Amino acid sequence: MRFRHPDGSTVHLAYCTNVHPAETLDGVLAQLRDHCEPVRRRLGRDRLGIGLWLARDAAHALVSDPSALRGLRTELDRRGLEVVTLNGFPYEGFGAEEVKYRVYTPDWADPERLDHTTALARVLAGLLPDDVTEGTISTLPLAWRTAYSQDRAEKARSALLTLAERLDALDELTGRSIRIGLEPEPGCVVETTADALAPLTDIAHDRVGVCVDTCHLATSFEDPHTALDALTEARVPVVKSQLSAALHAEHPHLPEVRQALAAFDEPRFLHQTRTATAAGLRGTDDLGEALAADALPDAAPWRAHFHVPLHAAPAAPLTSTLPVLRAALSRLVGGPHPLTSHLEVETYTWQALPPELRPRGRAQLADGIAAELTLARDLLTDLGLKELP
């Protein structure tokens, strides 16, 4: 979906396909048929943006076979789909029964991460629509915080600089400008947007910036306006933003609130949980740890890294951080000029919701994704953007 900003520029809205994980190119092609095109039809649109997640094997197949890449591009066009952004955070295995800490490997100190992201950039340059010259890729925020030594930090910095050089060369060769965005996430080396300032100003390259995920922003209790103002002042580009909402518990000391939270403690994904105290942010790596006795102070609200559907907040006594998303969006695209042109709805946890909230089959999932995109579209038009055909 495309929108015209009041300044005349185009803002793209997509949804991320990591909600239908596939490891192979055949799996990706099946996603387009079984999920993406049905969502487009529900929205009554001739064209729908998708943020592809390409696992290692799928990316390798595309970058090593020009005919396969042309075939994917043809299939996108045939189904009324377009790609301007990729999710390069998960490397492989995102559809496994247990993902948890595995999603943070390989990190930016490992050569595999550079190789994979380079492949994604080359693929994206070949998938961009004919009238689009800029693409974006979101990626791991350097590494998970443990076992991240100075030596590994230097390797990660070197890898990002090498990537920037490769992206310069790709632009010169293809005329397509691809940028990468580190995605701050609780528990990682770059947990907050503030944590991104030092490493990114050190790299000081306009092809490397930040992907602002509004669920992660909210989980860390960051104020959107303060965070985005700091990035702007430091001249760190907001490469893309993922529109998502976290789980919010206003009164975590109450037994009924803890019982409601426990329904979201599931074995597949990591749900980092945070609370803001007078001494600073306190947190646990997972929701189950937070619910253990005295693991986390409960005098103030808790937020958990659980991407809940944008259009359907959890039932009381829980809610979502949709107000944080609204505030972030007003700053991202509501000003005289957009801070980013690429927005991506990213709710990958539909099948990790409590059983009674999960979609039953493809049709219900498509209905839910379409409802999320409709909400995002309404937020954008409320900010003065005009939806384009």
Side-chain angles (χ1 to χ4, degrees):
M1 300 169 76
R2 299 187 185 191
F3 297 81
R4 180 75 68 215
H5 190 274
D7 75 349
S9 64
T10 301
V11 173
H12 295 264
L13 173 66
Y15 89 88
C16 186
T17 64
N18 63 353
V19 64
H20 338 283
E23 299 291 317
T24 65
L25 178 55
D26 284 344
V28 171
L29 293 170
Q31 288 175 351
L32 306 185
R33 179 193 68 227
D34 296 339
H35 300 288
C36 303
E37 186 176 8
V39 171
R40 178 183 65 76
R41 293 187 181 280
R42 278 164 172 75
L43 291 167
R45 304 290 303 167
D46 293 333
R47 174 174 55 188
L48 176 67
I50 57 171
L52 275 181
W53 172 62
L54 298 172
R56 179 196 63 177
D57 289 349
H60 178 75
L62 289 166
V63 80
S64 60
D65 183 355
S67 65
L69 183 57
R70 289 193 298 270
L72 175 57
R73 172 67 187 276
T74 298
E75 191 69 2
L76 288 165
D77 292 341
R78 188 169 76 87
R79 299 193 181 277
L81 306 169
E82 66 177 14
V83 175
V84 302
T85 191
L86 301 179
N87 186 333
F89 196 133
Y91 180 71
E92 61 184 349
F94 202 61
E97 291 185 4
E98 182 176 331
V99 179
K100 298 289 185 181
Y101 294 95
R102 290 172 52 191
V103 76
Y104 307 105
T105 57
D107 65 35
W108 273 101
D110 298 318
E112 294 87 354
R113 178 62 65 171
L114 172 61
D115 293 344
H116 177 59
T117 311
T118 301
L120 292 178
R122 291 172 178 163
V123 168
L124 182 55
L127 293 181
L128 289 178
D130 292 340
D131 61 345
V132 175
T133 59
E134 296 185 358
T136 58
I137 304 171
S138 48
T139 189
L140 177 76
L142 298 182
W144 186 252
R145 69 183 186 280
T146 56
Y148 192 67
S149 62
Q150 185 59 39
D151 176 62
R152 293 187 69 78
E154 287 298 325
K155 288 179 179 178
R157 178 180 182 276
S158 177
L160 287 170
L161 287 171
T162 298
L163 177 67
E165 293 170 357
R166 292 177 180 178
L167 295 179
D168 284 342
L170 184 64
D171 190 353
E172 187 173 338
L173 179 66
T174 66
R176 303 296 178 91
S177 174
I178 309 298
R179 295 190 299 163
I180 188 91
L182 303 185
E183 183 184 330
E185 177 167 314
C188 292
V189 172
V190 176
E191 173 157 339
T192 65
T193 56
D195 294 334
L197 297 180
L200 290 179
T201 51
D202 180 42
I203 292 170
H205 200 294
D206 61 6
R207 294 199 190 275
V208 184
V210 166
C211 168
V212 175
D213 183 301
T214 57
C215 170
H216 304 171
L217 191 80
T219 301
S220 294
F221 287 86
E222 289 195 82
D223 174 73
H225 295 284
T226 301
L228 293 168
D229 285 348
L231 291 172
T232 301
E233 184 177 348
R235 298 188 177 183
V236 172
V238 180
V239 169
K240 65 184 278 191
S241 179
Q242 288 171 327
L243 307 183
S244 52
L247 191 62
H248 180 95
E250 186 68 19
H251 302 293
H253 65 285
L254 297 176
E256 60 268 29
V257 174
R258 291 192 172 235
Q259 183 178 357
L261 283 170
F264 287 84
D265 178 29
E266 54 83 37
R268 186 172 174 187
F269 298 112
L270 206 60
H271 301 297
Q272 303 92 312
T273 305
R274 299 290 185 267
T275 186
T277 73
L281 210 60
R282 293 279 303 278
T284 60
D285 282 356
D286 214 347
L287 180 56
E289 297 172 37
L291 291 169
D294 301 322
L296 201 60
D298 59 8
W302 287 4
R303 289 176 178 172
H305 172 220
F306 195 118
H307 290 224
V308 295
L310 301 187
H311 68 292
L318 303 178
T319 187
S320 81
T321 60
L322 185 62
V324 176
L325 185 159
R326 291 177 184 269
L329 202 56
S330 71
R331 183 71 177 84
L332 287 165
V333 299
H337 303 287
L339 296 184
T340 182
S341 298
H342 292 179
L343 306 173
E344 178 184 59
V345 171
E346 196 214 13
T347 305
Y348 58 83
T349 44
W350 282 94
Q351 300 301 337
L353 290 166
E356 67 275 12
L357 301 179
R358 294 174 195 166
R360 295 178 178 85
R362 293 175 184 169
Q364 283 194 6
L365 178 59
D367 290 342
I369 294 169
E372 289 194 293
L373 286 166
T374 298
L375 182 146
R377 178 199 64 194
D378 292 345
L379 292 178
L380 292 174
T381 55
D382 287 347
L383 290 170
L385 283 74
K386 180 181 179 182
E387 187 176 8
L388 298 175

